[in-house]
Amino acid sequence: MRKGEETRAKILDAAEISVLAKGFGATSIDELIAETGITKSGFFYHFRDKNELAKALLERYVENDERIYDEIFSRARELADDPLQAFLLGLKLLSELLSDLPNGHPGCLVAVICSHERAFDRDIQEINRQAALMWRRRFGAMFRDIMQVYRPREPLDVDQLADMVSTVIEGGIILSKALKEPKNLPAQLLVFRTFIRLLFQPAAS
Amino acid sequence: MRKGEETRAKILDAAEISVLAKGFGATSIDELIAETGITKSGFFYHFRDKNELAKALLERYVENDERIYDEIFSRARELADDPLQAFLLGLKLLSELLSDLPNGHPGCLVAVICSHERAFDRDIQEINRQAALMWRRRFGAMFRDIMQVYRPREPLDVDQLADMVSTVIEGGIILSKALKEPKNLPAQLLVFRTFIRLLFQPAAS
DNA sequence: GCGAAAACTGTACCGACGGTAGGGAAACGG
DNA sequence: CCGTTTCCCTACCGTCGGTACAGTTTTCGC
């Protein structure tokens, strides 16, 4: 029972690394069982097929992602009383965390799934959608808090502003990879941070 | 000679649609030859292997991409004398163009390659990198023009600002797909446009 | 410590796919 | 009409995802 989850986790660990590096199609089951020291039958005991592996992988990834955001922004909230300052601090903390990853961000599974779209069933696409909606809700709540204190210099839709956070992160991951400049993602986050500061900065200079 | 290029183009057309929809791994050669009415030998006459197909696909995609940007921003430049106004207009035109696509942006091949990274050889990764660098140069030049006339309200690195354009586009494509909201990408572009307007807006209101 | 369930192993097999090899044949251009 | 380009045909190989199923070990609750 607990042993089973351990093996399952080992498979998922190996799969995540490989999928983020090579894509889902190029990640073979044979390769995963070789790395985890399990047999093919053992693999299919845990996952009915490759699609279920993808599903489990994505679910785990999204959970972990949420946990990291929870940690960072709750810590930022503790350190700053003002909602705007807390958000700006959160972005900074996130940028620093990403900057400390030696090889840059390994890649976002949500984006990988998007690039493969029709290769997966609706279950997976729905998990993906829910993940993006969670981001929207999370950052949307923060912007609503900010707007109770500060008036934006330009009227902007809260949801679109919240989506912009995810957009910059996802886009930053891709650009970092394409350019082979791991520092690009944290840098982009800081540029976005400047935009937010500008947006809520009082009109008088 | 011309017949050959025609067939080649037909293969690339089918491949591009399929790759953007399902990813590269899930796009089978058998499927491509069925759609183009060619035989397997015929396919391998045009492309030594799947990797060369990817390379040709990416090269064609990047060229087309550049052409579209050229058109939009040169038209914007004709309509507006001021570099800032021209850029803002260009973003608006781009947003409208993306908004008119009935099923949303089909996906960016550069991003797909990034998600598959290690599955491709260095040639392809280099083409990808050069494409991202071209974007940086293109938008960097625009921002430099703008900065000769306007002083940004916050000091920002020109390259990072230029990368932000690509970041928003790539991130917007992913978010649009994840959320299944095709209008998300053009909306994000307009949010970014607001940020740029804010950045270069004179301090006095 | 025992029995049942959980967690595997082993073997044999299947179809689809990427790719190779090589011998052609139609189409076209000069 | 000759040669190159462009493609077809057949046969084959290894890998991969997946199935089937019987057998074995490990683990855990009682």
Side-chain angles (χ1 to χ4, degrees):
Chain A
M1 271 179 177
R2 230 187 29 260
K3 177 78 186 307
E5 281 168 30
E6 209 175 279
T7 306
R8 213 181 130 95
K10 269 208 311 202
I11 297 173
L12 288 173
D13 285 341
E16 185 168 323
I17 293 170
S18 185
V19 167
L20 289 178
K22 304 189 297 185
F24 199 75
T27 298
S28 74
I29 294 176
D30 284 0
E31 168 198 340
L32 296 179
I33 67 178
E35 244 167 86
T36 52
I38 211 178
T39 60
K40 209 167 183 177
S41 318
F43 175 89
F44 284 107
Y45 171 77
H46 287 287
F47 305 98
R48 201 180 310 126
D49 50 30
K50 226 184 167 189
N51 194 78
E52 220 183 57
L53 171 69
K55 195 170 154 189
L57 212 55
L58 182 59
E59 272 167 351
R60 202 181 69 147
Y61 180 87
V62 169
E63 270 172 38
N64 193 47
D65 198 74
E66 290 292 318
R67 230 195 43 238
I68 290 173
Y69 282 148
D70 278 346
E71 275 174 28
I72 283 187
F73 285 97
S74 72
R75 219 180 94 205
R77 204 62 234 250
E78 281 165 25
L79 292 172
D81 236 18
D82 183 80
L84 177 59
Q85 292 311 314
F87 180 69
L88 292 174
L89 179 58
L91 282 185
K92 189 111 186 238
L93 290 175
L94 185 56
S95 168
E96 278 167 11
L97 186 129
L98 292 168
S99 203
D100 286 345
L101 297 173
N103 302 319
H105 194 291
C108 175
L109 258 188
V110 173
V112 171
I113 303 281
C114 281
S115 307
H116 291 192
E117 229 181 350
R118 302 219 177 280
F120 297 107
D121 61 15
R122 285 196 196 132
D123 259 18
I124 290 188
Q125 292 175 39
E126 187 53 28
I127 297 172
N128 234 16
R129 203 172 136 259
Q130 288 304 325
L133 285 175
M134 294 257 279
W135 294 336
R136 179 184 284 175
R137 275 196 294 273
R138 170 189 299 275
F139 297 116
M142 294 185 192
F143 283 122
R144 258 178 275 271
D145 281 353
I146 292 172
M147 285 185 190
Q148 296 220 331
V149 184
Y150 297 87
R151 223 181 115 238
R153 290 169 64 88
E154 296 276 345
L156 279 176
D157 182 84
V158 177
D159 280 347
Q160 285 179 15
L161 203 52
D163 284 347
M164 191 70 157
V165 183
S166 317
T167 294
V168 171
I169 293 171
E170 295 294 341
I173 291 172
I174 289 181
L175 228 68
S176 284
K177 284 196 169 201
L179 288 165
K180 299 191 184 299
E181 297 176 4
K183 298 293 177 200
N184 201 280
L185 168 58
Q188 291 293 300
L189 261 181
L190 292 183
V191 173
F192 176 66
R193 185 175 174 273
T194 299
F195 282 137
I196 295 299
R197 223 178 46 218
L198 253 171
L199 180 64
F200 291 107
Q201 184 177 272
S205 64
Chain B
M1 270 184 176
R2 225 184 37 257
K3 178 78 185 308
E5 280 168 32
E6 210 176 280
T7 307
R8 212 181 130 94
K10 268 208 311 203
I11 296 173
L12 288 174
D13 285 340
E16 185 168 323
I17 293 170
S18 184
V19 167
L20 288 178
K22 304 189 298 184
F24 200 75
T27 298
S28 74
I29 294 175
D30 284 0
E31 167 197 340
L32 296 179
I33 67 179
E35 245 167 85
T36 53
I38 212 178
T39 60
K40 209 165 183 177
S41 317
F43 175 89
F44 283 107
Y45 169 78
H46 288 287
F47 305 98
R48 202 179 311 125
D49 51 30
K50 227 185 166 188
N51 194 77
E52 220 183 57
L53 171 68
K55 195 171 155 186
L57 212 55
L58 182 59
E59 272 167 352
R60 202 181 69 147
Y61 180 88
V62 169
E63 269 172 38
N64 193 47
D65 197 75
E66 289 293 317
R67 229 196 43 240
I68 291 172
Y69 282 147
D70 278 346
E71 275 173 29
I72 283 188
F73 284 98
S74 73
R75 219 180 94 205
R77 205 60 234 252
E78 281 165 24
L79 293 170
D81 237 19
D82 182 79
L84 177 58
Q85 293 310 314
F87 181 67
L88 293 175
L89 178 58
L91 282 186
K92 189 106 185 246
L93 291 174
L94 185 56
S95 169
E96 277 167 12
L97 186 130
L98 292 169
S99 203
D100 286 344
L101 296 174
N103 302 318
H105 194 291
C108 175
L109 257 187
V110 174
V112 171
I113 303 280
C114 282
S115 307
H116 291 191
E117 230 182 351
R118 301 221 178 280
F120 297 106
D121 62 15
R122 287 200 194 127
D123 259 18
I124 291 187
Q125 293 176 39
E126 187 53 27
I127 297 172
N128 234 16
R129 201 171 138 261
Q130 288 305 324
L133 285 174
M134 294 256 278
W135 295 335
R136 178 183 284 175
R137 276 195 293 273
R138 171 189 298 274
F139 297 116
M142 294 186 192
F143 282 122
R144 260 178 273 271
D145 281 354
I146 292 172
M147 286 187 190
Q148 296 217 331
V149 184
Y150 297 88
R151 223 182 113 238
R153 290 169 64 88
E154 296 276 346
L156 279 176
D157 183 85
V158 177
D159 280 347
Q160 285 179 13
L161 204 51
D163 284 347
M164 192 69 158
V165 184
S166 317
T167 294
V168 171
I169 293 171
E170 295 295 342
I173 291 172
I174 289 182
L175 229 66
S176 284
K177 286 198 167 199
L179 288 165
K180 301 193 183 298
E181 297 177 4
K183 300 292 178 199
N184 200 280
L185 167 59
Q188 292 293 301
L189 262 181
L190 292 183
V191 173
F192 177 66
R193 185 174 173 274
T194 300
F195 282 137
I196 295 300
R197 225 179 43 218
L198 253 170
L199 179 65
F200 291 106
Q201 183 178 271
S205 63

